[in-house]
Amino acid sequence: MTNRAQRDGTMVDMQLIMIIGCAVAALGLILLAVSTRWVKSWGNQYATTSVPTSCAGWALLALGLGLILGPAYLSGQLG
């Protein structure tokens, strides 16, 4: 027996949400990599060149991880 959301085609596949989350997190990592430069070989190794780009990268990384872990938690796959 199917519910109304499945009959109408409005139900979103959780795997699709997780794949979108992976893409968003990857974009955030790319932005973080682009906004850094190497300073020294030891200790504080890199510095941020663009603070807004770095903040956007961290935000996208957090959003992507939320999109990956959220559906898994809600479906009962994570404890």
Side-chain angles (χ1 to χ4, degrees), residues 48-60:
T48 301
T49 57
S50 174
V51 175
T53 305
S54 179
C55 289
W58 281 112
L60 286 175

Side-chain angles (χ1 to χ4, degrees), residues 23-38 45-65:
V24 170
L27 181 62
L29 285 175
I30 290 170
L31 283 177
L32 284 172
V34 167
S35 69
T36 58
R37 66 178 168 89
W38 292 100
Q45 296 183 359
Y46 62 92
T48 301
T49 57
S50 174
V51 175
T53 305
S54 179
C55 289
W58 281 112
L60 286 175
L61 182 63
L63 177 67
L65 289 177

